[in-house]
């Protein structure tokens, strides 16, 4: 078992591209080796040691590596990008695209996550204990397939376009979701325990559960009566008919 | 300028009858010459393949590609062809590069040069869009460029044809080339682009164009006759009606026959048909759709008034972008894909749809086969241009892949082995064992496109030609392309040397220098149209611009400042 602790040394104002903060990249490396890994701060090339105190305890492969970021890193982007195994725990906020393209392992963000958390993830689990911003579990700009697998849980609220272009996997939001969750979806399951607005716009297929209120409903959904799922009674809708969609939207009654 | 001599190369120069000979190539002042002095810089080709620089006579590299870029930010991260696609950071010499189907302008210049190509023809631009196209040309380094100007759904053209006023048609064609600093005449889905304004299309050569008493056949013959009357270096360049529709071979063959009655003004085709692969389908629906390449090839083998290009498909993501607006609407609906639609006022329609082709789908597998069948079944390589209709059939960085397919039956059979069974009774490719030799490949990628375009200084290595040369790390007398196709593909992807205008621009697959290319354009107006006819045209155009255009005639023409290194060609007046 290898534990890598990164303690933030300063609060950068310009975003830092740090896609190499993964168990895959850190496994088996010493503190000095990890500190020497390059990153970009704006257009300046820096090293991880410029922004973190690095401590390493033990050694292991990626699956056996745990990274602890011991504090807020609201300007550090792409933490855990494309990770395949292991664990990351951030004891604070993260910047955009945390866990993008990840295929395995787990990430826990104890604070808030900025936009595109879990973008195009194919496996593994992400837990955000605070809020997440736009496009949580969404796609890359221009692509037509977003999150494909794995599980993304957000205990707080999310902003617009949750699970945009989702192609698979599971999203759970315990708070509210703002506009258009599940927009342009192909597959996968989204559960929103709080309220939301205009869910499932242009959804082709896939499933959305809303346990709170739908503040505004799209007119292009067909009412299919009520249905009980896991002991909860829902009103069931099929759509989005504007795209000949066969998605299923359950709204708590 | 310094002199240069290329020694020890195995030279293919079909136009000059050179077929794999160890000739020296002498260069002086950017031109091929017969001799150079003793002090000339020596480039030792070490027994490698020496060809004229590649000429892409049909590509989409400026204009609509900008909208395609906006629609596909994800394209910038695609990197399926190592070293020729995807993000590449800035270097001391080079700008950063991104993309695959829609690279940035600089990337287009670098990557074509790495393939050994030195001249490209943007195949579809309306006069309205031409100014911006020239700005893009200016930021595509190294390559020489030219543009084909869309006239096949143009209101002026249709009006003058309807009026039977061949003088006005001629004057307008010459003026449109001048106004856009364009090189030749492009016709896309004649009449269909105009009908698309009303949400309609044409279904064949004899439909009426809405609000005009003309048919696609009238447009084709009218423009071909005007083109020949002006003695333009290139013939009309035609994308037929009914692209991509099962059974469209009927329209294609009828179009080919239709042009039998027009005489070419010079020693070249009277019509070039583009991306023939998309126009060679039999059947009545996608269920009984099949290759019609044998019928097209029979016709081509027994007639001499036409040339065509392949429009070869490449598997993977592609970007379709065409003035054929109704076709793109159909694509977008059929594939539930993103769609951009163009209305280019009086001049044409257009659309853009990103697609992806897969060998697992019988229709795509069949289309892939048709492109190769066409090139292999037509006996005379001087009738066939190598293209993928970049990036409609596939990105140009895949040219080596498709070139090697034409040279290796073994490679073709390997691909066909993965096709679904439903493909097999629709194609003839498995039974075609022809493998192109280097001479034939050189014709289809260099000499034929240059001849088809009427560019005397390109596509060959005789004295007087531009010193555009590609040297590849292939030993033609030692390599069996049929078997060693992977190594040959790699060699064709990264030229050992690309020499442009006498300057080494690529060495060992790396860009060495960034000269700015020239822009060829045709001025048939200045001397070709008499003053009285110019006056008559201007009187009519002033009226039409006032009535219909969103811009004024005085702001319309591309100024010289936009074409800083022009090569103006003035056709001889008949
Ligand atoms: Zn084209």
């Amino acid at each position: 078992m290898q534990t890598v602790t990164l303690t933030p040394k300063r609060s950068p104002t310009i975003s830092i591209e740090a896609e190499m903060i993964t168990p895959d990249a850190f496994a088996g490396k010493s503190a000095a080796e990890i500190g020497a890994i390059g990153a970009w701060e704006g257009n300046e090339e820096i090293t991880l040691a410029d922004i973190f105190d690095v401590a390493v305890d033990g050694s292991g492969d990626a699956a056996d590596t745990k990274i602890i970021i011991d504090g807020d890193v609201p300007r550090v982007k792409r933490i855990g990008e494309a990770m395949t195994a292991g664990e990351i725990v951030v004891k604070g906020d993260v910047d955009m695209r945390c866990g993008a393209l990840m295929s395995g392992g787990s990430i826990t963000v104890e604070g808030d996550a900025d936009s595109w958390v879990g973008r195009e993830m194919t496996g593994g689990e992400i837990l955000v204990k605070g809020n997440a911003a736009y496009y949580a579990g969404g796609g890359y700009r221009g692509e037509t397939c977003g999150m494909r697998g794995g599980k993304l849980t957000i205990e707080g609220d999310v902003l617009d376009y949750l699970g945009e272009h989702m192609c698979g996997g599971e999203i759970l939001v315990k708070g509210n979701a703002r506009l258009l969750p599940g927009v342009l979806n192909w597959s996968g399951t989204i559960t929103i325990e709080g309220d939301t607005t205009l869910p499932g716009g242009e959804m082709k297929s896939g499933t959305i559960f809303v346990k709170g209120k739908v503040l505004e409903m799209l007119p292009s959904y067909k009412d299919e009566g009520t249905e009980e799922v896991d002991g909860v009674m829902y009103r069931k809708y099929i759509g989005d008919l504007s795209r000949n969609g066969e998605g299923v939207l359950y709204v708590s009654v | 300028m310094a002199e240069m001599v290329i020694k020890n190369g195995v030279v293919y120069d079909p136009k000059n009858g050179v077929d794999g000979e160890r000739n020296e190539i002498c260069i002086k002042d950017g031109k091929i010459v017969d001799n150079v002095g003793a002090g000339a810089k020596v480039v030792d080709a070490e027994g490698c393949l020496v060809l004229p620089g590649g000429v892409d006579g049909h590509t989409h590299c400026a204009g609509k590609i900008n909208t395609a870029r906006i629609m596909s930010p994800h394209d910038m991260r695609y990197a399926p062809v190592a070293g020729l696609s995807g993000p590449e950071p800035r270097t001391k010499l080079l700008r950063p590069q991104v993309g695959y189907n829609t690279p940035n302008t600089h990337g287009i210049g670098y990557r074509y040069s790495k393939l050994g190509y030195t001249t490209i023809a943007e195949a579809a631009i309306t006069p309205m869009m031409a100014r911006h196209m020239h700005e893009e040309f200016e930021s595509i380094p190294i390559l020489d460029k030219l543009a084909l100007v869309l006239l096949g759904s143009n209101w002026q053209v249709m009006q003058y044809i309807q009026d039977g006023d061949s003088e006005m048609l001629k004057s307008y064609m010459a003026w449109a080339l001048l106004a856009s600093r364009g090189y030749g005449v492009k016709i896309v889905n004649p009449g269909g682009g105009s009908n698309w304004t009303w949400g309609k299309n044409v279904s064949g050569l004899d439909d009426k164009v809405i609000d005009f008493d003309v048919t696609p056949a009238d447009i084709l013959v009218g423009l071909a006759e005007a083109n020949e009357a002006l003695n333009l270096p290139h013939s009309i360049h035609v994308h037929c009606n009914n692209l991509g529709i099962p059974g469209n071979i009927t329209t294609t063959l009828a179009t080919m026959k239709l042009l039998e009655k027009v005489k070419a003004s010079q020693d070249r085709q009277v019509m070039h048909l583009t991306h023939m692969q998309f126009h060679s389908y039999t059947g009545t629906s996608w269920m009984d759709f099949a290759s019609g390449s044998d019928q097209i090839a029979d016709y081509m083998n027994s007639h001499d008034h036409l040339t065509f290009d392949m429009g070869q498909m490449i598997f993977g993501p592609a970007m379709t972008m065409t003035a054929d607006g109704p076709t793109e609407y159909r694509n977008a609906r059929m594939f539930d894909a993103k769609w951009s639609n163009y209305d280019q006022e009086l001049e044409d329609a257009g659309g853009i749809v990103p697609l992806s082709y897969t060998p697992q789908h019988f229709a795509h597998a069949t289309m892939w086969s048709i492109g190769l069948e066409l090139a292999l079944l037509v006996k005379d390589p001087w009738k066939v241009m190598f293209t993928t209709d970049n990036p409609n059939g596939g990105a140009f960085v895949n040219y080596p892949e498709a070139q090697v397919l034409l040279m290796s039956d073994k490679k073709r059979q390997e691909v066909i082995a993965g096709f679904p069974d439903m493909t097999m009774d629709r194609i003839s490719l498995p039974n075609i064992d022809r493998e192109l030799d280097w001479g034939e490949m050189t014709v289809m990628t260099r000499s034929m496109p240059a001849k088809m375009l009427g560019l005397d200084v390109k596509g060959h290595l005789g004295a007087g030609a531009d010193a555009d040369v590609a040297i590849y790390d292939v030993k033609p007398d030692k390599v069996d392309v049929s078997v060693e196709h992977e190594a040959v593909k790699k060699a064709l992807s990264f030229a050992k040397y690309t020499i442009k205008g006498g300057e080494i621009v690529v060495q060992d697959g790396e860009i060495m220098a960034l000269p700015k290319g020239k822009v060829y354009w045709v001025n048939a107006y200045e001397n070709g149209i008499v003053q009285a006819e110019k006056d008559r045209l201007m009187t009519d155009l002033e009226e039409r611009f006032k009535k219909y255009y969103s811009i004024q005639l005085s702001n319309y023409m591309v100024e010289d400042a936009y074409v800083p290194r022009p090569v103006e060609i003035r056709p001889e007046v008949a």
Side-chain angles (χ1 to χ4, degrees):
Chain A
M1 179 77 193
Q2 175 174 357
T3 305
V4 181
T5 307
L6 304 178
T7 309
K9 292 205 304 206
R10 58 186 170 91
S11 305
T13 51
I14 296 174
S15 68
I16 291 170
E17 303 278 329
E19 74 274 21
M20 71 301 298
I21 300 181
T22 62
D24 303 82
F26 286 6
K29 288 205 171 77
S30 69
E33 286 169 331
I34 292 168
I37 293 175
W40 287 90
E41 182 172 14
N43 61 1
E44 300 240 335
E45 204 161 8
I46 58 166
T47 65
L48 292 183
D50 291 335
I51 46 172
F52 295 113
D53 286 321
V54 183
V56 176
D57 182 25
S59 184
D61 60 12
D64 233 8
T65 295
K66 177 175 181 176
I67 301 171
I68 299 167
I69 300 181
D70 199 8
D72 264 335
V73 281
R75 299 307 340 248
V76 179
K77 289 179 176 169
R78 301 165 71 183
I79 293 167
E81 180 168 303
M83 67 186 271
T84 64
E87 187 182 356
I88 298 178
V89 176
V90 185
K91 298 188 168 174
D93 302 342
V94 295
D95 205 338
M96 292 198 284
R97 302 186 206 110
C98 179
L101 294 161
M102 79 184 277
S103 60
S106 73
I107 299 176
T108 303
V109 177
E110 295 186 353
D112 296 340
D114 209 321
S115 300
W116 281 289
V117 59
R119 189 204 78 209
E120 296 177 295
M121 67 186 285
T122 59
E125 280 196 45
I126 300 177
L127 170 63
V128 179
K129 295 193 170 176
N131 303 318
Y134 298 93
Y135 292 100
Y140 188 89
R141 281 279 192 232
E143 293 282 9
T144 52
C145 186
M147 179 172 173
R148 291 148 215 227
K151 181 165 185 188
L152 170 61
T153 303
I154 293 140
E155 296 192 339
D157 300 332
V158 299
L159 298 179
D160 309 343
Y161 314 122
L162 171 74
E164 164 257 353
H165 272 123
M166 189 176 182
C167 287
E170 204 184 320
I171 298 179
L172 170 63
V173 175
K174 296 195 172 175
N176 302 319
R178 222 163 65 174
L179 287 176
L180 289 163
V183 65
L184 289 153
N185 268 19
W186 297 102
S187 184
T189 303
I190 297 176
T191 304
I192 299 161
E193 297 193 342
D195 302 340
T196 191
T197 305
L198 300 172
E202 293 193 48
M203 174 156 71
K204 191 81 181 172
S205 54
T207 310
I208 302 177
F209 291 93
V210 182
K211 298 193 173 178
K213 288 192 290 291
V214 171
L215 303 174
E216 192 179 338
M217 181 74 188
L218 284 161
S220 45
Y221 269 79
K222 193 164 113 212
D223 190 336
E224 296 272 294
T226 54
E227 189 175 312
E228 193 181 314
V229 183
D230 294 334
V232 182
M233 189 61 84
Y234 294 97
R235 189 155 280 281
K236 181 184 179 185
Y237 299 90
I238 302 290
D240 181 336
L241 302 179
S242 72
R243 205 174 158 221
N244 296 322
E246 293 167 351
V248 185
L249 170 62
Y250 292 102
V251 182
S252 169
V253 290
Chain B
M1 200 194 262
E3 296 178 332
M4 186 187 286
V5 57
I6 302 166
K7 292 190 170 176
N8 306 318
V10 179
V11 180
Y12 288 85
D13 181 10
K15 186 184 177 187
N16 298 302
V18 180
D19 192 43
E21 291 160 41
R22 292 199 172 236
N23 293 350
E24 286 186 353
I25 306 292
C26 299
I27 294 170
K28 187 182 181 182
D29 296 335
K31 293 278 183 185
I32 307 283
V33 292
D34 288 325
N35 306 292
V36 285
K41 177 186 166 73
V42 175
V43 171
D44 186 354
E46 302 171 48
C48 289
L49 180 67
V50 175
L51 308 181
V55 180
D56 192 346
H58 186 112
T59 181
H60 301 273
C61 60
K64 275 192 284 294
I65 191 174
N66 264 319
T67 308
R69 288 180 181 123
I70 292 165
M71 285 171 74
S72 60
H74 56 301
D75 182 76
M76 74 177 151
R77 65 178 185 165
Y78 285 168
V81 181
L84 293 169
S85 58
E88 298 260 0
R90 175 176 70 175
T91 68
K92 274 216 167 66
L93 182 65
L94 305 182
R95 303 277 193 111
Q97 303 164 58
V98 292
Y100 172 54
N101 284 305
T102 55
N104 54 324
T105 51
H106 297 272
I108 291 174
Y110 305 156
R111 291 167 183 179
Y112 263 114
S113 301
K114 288 184 180 186
L115 299 184
Y117 274 71
T118 47
T119 304
I120 59 173
E122 162 54 47
I125 195 79
T126 52
M128 284 187 72
M129 297 267 284
R131 182 180 285 107
H132 195 272
M133 178 201 71
H134 283 290
E135 292 202 286
E136 290 175 68
F137 273 5
E138 185 58 13
S139 68
I140 298 174
I142 305 173
L143 309 173
D144 287 344
K145 284 146 266 183
L146 58 88
L148 304 180
V149 178
L150 290 158
L151 294 180
S153 277
N154 179 297
W155 285 21
Q156 281 77 236
V157 164
M158 293 188 295
Q159 186 64 49
Y160 304 146
I161 290 174
Q162 177 181 312
D163 296 346
D165 195 339
S166 58
E167 284 304 313
M168 280 287 262
L169 181 60
K170 228 174 78 179
S171 305
Y172 178 70
M173 180 182 281
W175 181 82
L177 293 181
L178 170 74
S180 38
R181 296 297 192 269
Y183 185 87
V185 174
K186 177 74 182 297
I187 303 169
V188 169
N189 184 13
S194 188
N195 278 8
W196 184 235
T197 306
W198 317 107
K200 301 280 198 311
N201 195 359
V202 290
S203 65
L205 288 173
D206 301 320
D207 281 9
K208 280 269 181 284
V209 180
I210 295 167
D211 285 344
F212 290 92
D213 190 20
V214 298
T215 64
D218 298 335
I219 295 170
L220 284 163
V221 172
L223 286 172
E225 284 173 344
N227 194 96
E228 300 314 307
L230 287 169
N231 198 20
L232 300 184
H234 187 30
S235 68
I236 56 167
H237 192 117
V238 175
H239 155 149
C240 289
N241 303 113
N242 291 331
L243 178 143
I245 297 176
N248 62 9
I249 191 165
T250 316
T251 305
T252 308
L253 286 166
T255 307
M256 295 162 88
K257 264 181 105 62
L258 179 70
L259 268 287
E260 286 174 15
K261 64 182 178 196
V262 184
K263 283 270 159 299
S265 61
Q266 48 196 289
D267 175 27
R268 55 147 169 74
Q269 75 286 350
V270 74
M271 171 170 68
H272 176 80
L273 288 169
T274 190
H275 38 69
M276 187 65 102
Q277 178 273 121
F278 289 111
H279 302 275
S280 304
Y281 306 157
T282 61
T284 55
S285 74
W286 290 106
M287 294 316 295
D288 63 350
F289 144 86
S291 168
S293 60
D294 51 341
Q295 292 179 57
I296 299 287
D298 281 352
Y299 186 92
M300 289 301 298
N301 285 333
S302 56
H303 294 80
D304 294 321
H305 63 298
L306 304 174
T307 55
F308 73 87
D309 63 84
M310 295 160 66
Q312 176 60 31
M313 173 181 285
I314 302 291
F315 294 125
M319 180 63 72
T320 67
M321 41 201 217
T322 168
D324 195 337
T327 287
E328 291 294 32
Y329 175 72
R330 204 177 58 247
N331 277 340
R333 284 295 166 267
M334 190 156 55
F335 299 104
D336 200 4
K338 285 196 268 190
W339 174 49
S340 154
N341 185 47
Y342 271 65
D343 172 22
Q344 307 191 60
E345 303 195 9
L346 283 62
E347 302 191 344
D348 218 322
I352 300 172
V353 175
L355 293 179
S356 195
Y357 306 120
T358 161
Q360 281 87 43
H361 193 294
F362 77 88
H364 296 169
T366 302
M367 292 159 82
W368 179 91
S369 304
I370 294 171
L372 298 170
E373 288 170 7
L374 287 164
L376 295 167
L377 290 174
V378 173
K379 295 190 184 109
D380 181 358
W382 288 91
K383 292 178 178 176
V384 185
M385 178 162 73
F386 175 90
T387 64
T388 66
D389 191 18
N390 165 66
N392 286 279
F396 71 86
V397 292
N398 296 288
Y399 286 176
E401 161 80 9
Q403 287 158 2
V404 167
L405 282 164
L406 290 170
M407 301 183 83
S408 170
D409 182 40
K410 185 167 175 290
K411 182 175 166 77
R412 297 197 294 266
Q413 302 300 346
E414 285 166 14
V415 179
I416 292 168
F419 286 169
D421 290 343
M422 276 180 81
T423 318
M424 303 321 286
D425 59 349
R426 299 165 197 268
I427 61 175
S428 60
L429 191 62
N431 307 317
I432 302 173
D433 59 4
R434 181 178 173 197
E435 296 180 328
L436 297 191
D437 61 29
W438 285 112
E440 292 169 322
M441 181 54 68
T442 308
V443 171
M444 288 190 193
T445 55
R446 278 87 179 153
S447 320
M448 179 277 174
K451 174 158 194 289
M452 171 208 73
L453 289 166
L455 276 175
D456 293 341
V457 293
K458 300 293 183 189
H460 72 103
L461 297 171
D466 284 352
D468 300 346
V469 188
I471 306 175
Y472 299 102
D473 193 6
V474 174
K475 306 254 160 57
D477 34 10
K478 296 211 174 75
V479 73
D480 179 355
V481 188
S482 184
V483 181
E484 297 162 73
H485 52 76
E486 268 313 303
V488 172
K489 176 181 160 182
K490 187 155 183 265
L492 294 177
S493 300
F494 303 98
K496 187 177 168 69
Y497 290 97
T498 304
I499 295 165
K500 169 68 179 44
E503 184 175 1
I504 294 173
V505 291
V506 173
Q507 190 170 345
D508 297 325
E510 296 295 331
I511 304 287
M512 306 302 290
L514 296 171
K516 295 238 178 196
K518 298 176 287 223
V519 172
Y520 289 82
W521 72 280
V522 172
N523 188 346
Y525 192 72
E526 192 74 29
N527 301 336
I529 307 297
V530 297
Q531 193 56 46
E533 287 298 329
K534 288 179 181 168
D535 294 342
R536 194 158 75 92
L537 177 72
M538 281 306 125
T539 308
D540 190 55
L541 283 183
E542 270 162 28
E543 189 60 29
R544 299 180 70 82
F545 268 75
K546 257 187 238 150
K547 252 185 177 158
Y548 301 124
Y549 268 94
S550 69
I551 43 178
Q552 298 197 19
L553 185 54
S554 55
N555 295 331
Y556 185 79
M557 188 165 295
V558 173
E559 297 92 338
D560 288 332
Y562 287 86
V563 193
R565 285 166 310 284
V567 179
E568 181 183 330
I569 294 168
R570 295 197 179 190
E572 264 179 54
V573 180

